[in-house]
Amino acid sequence: VQLQASGGGLVQAGGSLRLSCAAPEGAFSRPTITWFRQAPGKEREFVAALWRGNTNKYYADSVKGRFTISRDTTKTTVHLQMNSLKPEDSALYYCAASDRVILSSFRDPGSYNYWGQGTQVTVSS
């Protein structure tokens, strides 16, 4: 299953971007969809997750209050609305999906076996 990530770009600090992650219809039953990011020389880190379809949303402390994860009405695309962007948000953003990840490990990239190709977000100061 291949996820399609899109929406990255170059934006000034304080600006907004919306990322999208599309999954093939019917590929998952009630997946957890998660966004990760990876800056050069750093490990991939958790950003936000939409748990089991649409039940709960989780955010990294660094993006809480600025980023919002949501699912559209088609239920096959998950968005990450990113507001008040900072230069430290610059990274390659990946979406990942799993219908088997457990609550204790959903922040771990190793818990996912379905990934999008990554979309670059660059925030200038």
Side-chain angles (χ1 to χ4, degrees), residues 31-125:
T32 293
I33 307 290
T34 301
W35 286 96
F36 294 89
R37 65 187 182 188
Q38 188 167 19
K42 295 188 176 182
E43 292 188 351
R44 194 167 296 189
E45 65 173 1
F46 167 78
V47 176
L50 188 62
W51 179 258
R52 290 277 187 258
N54 209 16
T55 54
N56 288 300
K57 302 175 183 181
Y58 299 91
Y59 300 94
D61 288 343
S62 59
V63 307
K64 205 171 291 184
R66 300 187 297 122
F67 291 11
T68 303
I69 191 169
S70 63
R71 182 185 304 275
D72 71 11
T73 54
T74 69
K75 301 187 184 301
T76 62
T77 301
V78 170
H79 304 289
L80 184 68
Q81 178 66 42
M82 306 186 297
N83 298 329
S84 303
L85 282 162
K86 305 175 182 180
E88 51 264 43
D89 294 318
S90 297
L92 194 58
Y93 282 69
Y94 297 90
C95 63
S98 173
D99 50 12
R100 299 182 179 184
V101 67
I102 60 177
L103 197 56
S104 61
S105 63
F106 72 88
R107 292 179 176 87
D108 179 0
S111 298
Y112 298 82
N113 49 2
Y114 300 110
W115 290 85
Q117 77 280 18
T119 183
Q120 180 67 42
V121 171
T122 303
V123 184
S124 62
S125 57

Side-chain angles (χ1 to χ4, degrees), residues 14-35:
S16 299
L17 284 172
R18 189 174 84 152
L19 306 183
S20 298
C21 177
E25 190 170 351
F28 303 100
S29 55
R30 293 180 65 219
T32 293
I33 307 290
T34 301
W35 286 96

